[in-house]
Amino acid sequence: MSQPPTAPPAAAGAAAPPPDPPPWRMALTEGLATMRAAARTEPGRLRMTGAAVAALLVLFGAVTAWQTSGRSSAADHVLASSQPLSAAAAGVYRSLADANTTATAAFLAGSEEEPAVMSRYADDIGSAARLLAEAAARGEGTGESQRLIETLSQELPRYTGLVETARAINRQGLPLGGAYLRYADELMQELLSLADRLYALESARLRQDVDQARSWPWLALAAGTACLAVLAWAQLREYRRTNRVFNPGLLAATAAAAALLVWLAGSHAVARTHLNEARNDAAASLSVLTDAWAEALQARGDENMVLVARGAGEQFEDSYAAHMADLAGPSGGAEDTGEDAGLLGRAADLAGDDRGRQWVENALRATGEWRDRHQEAREQERLGDYDGAVERVTGGQGSTRESFDQVDDALEGAVGHEQERFERAATGGRDALDGLSPAAALALAALGALAAVLGIGSRLSEYR
């Protein structure tokens, strides 16, 4: 019986046949070949054009929805979180500084301290504690902000304890009460430094949120411009090949893309106008006014501490003069303007309207009067009339206390006015951004993509 033939042995050194490529690579190769073949035919080119236009429109809508949503959220965050937190931080500083000023005024009055003065002190401490608790409860600040809030909350009871000890000893007529009050003042200066840092952090976060809300959506604008360019090219190509002027579907897609692009650019232009006013005008004015108010409170505290020190208060007098120079310039007269009038002069320049400027001018006039009365009080103290100097500083009509209260009221009015201006401008910016919702952007882009596909489809039907 014969044996079946066998394959001859492979020649020595002959190369083995290459392995078959993986299935996915074969499918990819076949797909590319099919696309190249389709691209050589007019129907294939039309299909590719339609797919590209539809994809670009969908991409335009998605990017517009994404960038618009982010900027709208940032504008909401400005009004709901970062601006209130910045205002709260400024309020903490003012409450602490005013509490310190009021405590020294009550100490100087001794056993004759007015109930209204101590009520104001209690209100200031309560306000500072409440604002700190609210800021801590939000939990939206940086880690450093939270640490500052925690430290301020822990140290505030220590300060109030020193003040109460000083008052109790002072009512007994013992000079040791003044030493305790100086310790309390030193601690308060540390707390004010922390509060100032907290305000700086929250103000920086506010500026960051405003900048994010007002930034141009460049990616979405570029996508929209690319869509219009491709649509124009597609229609020009069809005109050259068919001599047909209009394709209703492509025209509808162009109209949808143009409408979305104009809507996007217009809403952001209006929003930027409002947010620029909030950032560059109202917020800048608020920052200067807040600094001016802090200088006034610090100057008043130093003025009281000069008398608490009883002849050893030169350091407080020097600090008073420095704060007053920052507040209203070297001379501080009502006629001074610009840099010659310190922070108040800058605030007058930044005021957005006559009402805001009037508040600042009132503060300038009262500051000039405050300086004159302070010099009179210092002269009385140098002549040995300590009780007369105390009355000149803490008394009623004609005292530096009256002038300071006028400055305090004027600055409170100015800050409130600029706060309203900021909120009004920021609200206008947010409303402009909310005018183009992500859902509307996606819907308009989807309609454009559908119109483009239908327009190309009508052209393809002619080849069947």
Side-chain angles (χ1 to χ4, degrees):
M1 176 182 247
S2 61
Q3 296 293 329
T6 59
D20 293 335
W24 66 267
R25 186 173 297 176
M26 294 176 62
L28 179 61
T29 303
E30 291 176 1
L32 290 174
T34 302
M35 290 179 62
R36 282 195 297 269
R40 296 190 184 98
T41 65
E42 183 60 19
R45 295 189 188 100
L46 285 173
R47 291 188 181 93
M48 293 176 65
T49 299
V53 169
L56 271 175
L57 281 165
V58 171
L59 176 64
F60 177 31
V63 173
T64 298
W66 165 52
Q67 294 203 303
T68 300
S69 176
R71 282 151 183 78
S72 182
S73 297
D76 285 336
H77 201 259
V78 166
L79 288 166
S81 178
S82 54
Q83 197 282 326
L85 278 173
S86 177
V92 169
Y93 187 100
R94 287 195 298 268
S95 296
L96 292 176
D98 193 66
N100 195 49
T101 296
T102 308
T104 55
F107 182 89
L108 289 172
S111 59
E112 299 178 359
E113 63 185 31
E114 301 176 19
V117 174
M118 291 312 300
S119 176
R120 177 171 175 171
Y121 166 80
D123 289 343
D124 286 334
I125 295 297
S127 177
R130 175 180 56 80
L131 291 171
L132 287 170
E134 291 178 357
R138 287 178 181 269
E140 297 180 3
T142 63
E144 184 177 359
S145 294
Q146 294 299 319
R147 287 192 295 272
L148 290 171
I149 292 170
E150 183 178 351
T151 302
L152 286 166
S153 300
Q154 291 173 349
E155 293 296 319
L156 187 57
R158 184 175 160 223
Y159 168 79
T160 57
L162 288 171
V163 169
E164 291 305 317
T165 301
R167 290 178 60 212
I169 295 175
N170 188 51
R171 282 195 294 268
Q172 299 174 26
L174 301 175
L176 187 60
Y180 271 95
L181 193 62
R182 286 194 293 273
Y183 296 150
D185 180 74
E186 291 175 2
L187 176 58
M188 178 54 75
Q189 298 311 311
E190 295 177 7
L191 297 183
L192 289 175
S193 178
L194 297 178
D196 184 60
R197 176 59 182 162
L198 177 63
Y199 172 68
L201 289 173
E202 297 301 337
S203 296
R205 195 158 70 97
L206 171 61
R207 288 191 296 271
Q208 181 180 355
D209 287 341
V210 173
D211 287 343
Q212 181 180 351
R214 62 188 283 274
S215 62
W216 280 107
W218 292 115
L219 191 58
L221 293 172
T225 304
C227 274
L228 290 178
V230 171
L231 282 164
W233 168 81
Q235 291 173 90
L236 180 61
R237 178 182 179 278
E238 182 174 349
Y239 168 73
R240 287 175 174 174
R241 288 180 173 271
T242 65
N243 288 326
R244 293 177 180 175
V245 179
F246 300 116
N247 181 309
L250 292 179
L251 279 177
T254 303
L260 182 55
L261 184 60
V262 171
W263 196 355
L264 172 68
S267 64
H268 279 78
V270 173
R272 278 177 64 87
T273 299
H274 288 292
L275 292 170
N276 282 340
E277 179 185 353
R279 181 185 186 276
N280 300 330
D281 297 337
S285 180
L286 263 175
S287 178
V288 173
L289 286 168
T290 298
D291 291 343
W293 204 351
E295 295 293 339
L297 289 165
Q298 288 279 54
R300 178 58 179 170
D302 288 332
E303 183 179 45
N304 289 340
M305 288 303 298
V306 169
L307 296 175
V308 170
R310 287 182 173 267
E314 287 305 316
Q315 61 174 347
F316 296 111
E317 178 64 25
D318 293 342
S319 181
Y320 162 85
H323 287 304
M324 291 297 280
D326 289 339
L327 174 64
S331 61
E335 69 280 358
D336 291 338
T337 58
E339 294 183 0
D340 292 337
L343 290 168
L344 290 178
R346 289 174 55 196
D349 293 338
L350 290 171
D353 51 32
D354 292 339
R355 183 185 173 195
R357 194 171 295 106
Q358 186 61 53
W359 284 116
V360 179
E361 290 174 355
N362 291 344
L364 269 170
R365 281 194 293 270
T367 301
E369 184 181 62
W370 180 7
R371 271 177 157 157
D372 293 339
R373 292 178 177 180
H374 176 79
Q375 291 303 318
E376 294 171 3
R378 290 290 290 157
E379 185 63 27
Q380 283 184 281
E381 185 186 13
R382 292 189 189 96
L383 293 175
D385 185 6
Y386 179 80
D387 291 338
V390 170
E391 179 63 24
R392 193 70 174 166
V393 170
T394 64
Q397 188 173 3
S399 66
T400 63
R401 170 186 169 184
E402 181 186 41
S403 299
F404 165 74
D405 286 342
Q406 291 172 354
V407 174
D408 190 60
D409 291 342
L411 289 173
E412 182 178 8
V415 167
H417 178 71
E418 295 301 322
Q419 185 79 26
E420 291 176 1
R421 194 159 71 98
F422 178 91
E423 292 176 357
R424 187 165 55 249
T427 300
R430 181 196 61 187
D431 292 345
L433 290 172
D434 288 344
L436 176 56
S437 67
L442 289 171
L444 196 55
L447 287 174
L450 178 61
V453 170
L454 292 176
I456 295 294
S458 66
R459 182 74 181 89
L460 283 170
S461 65
E462 299 174 2
Y463 288 89
R464 296 170 186 170

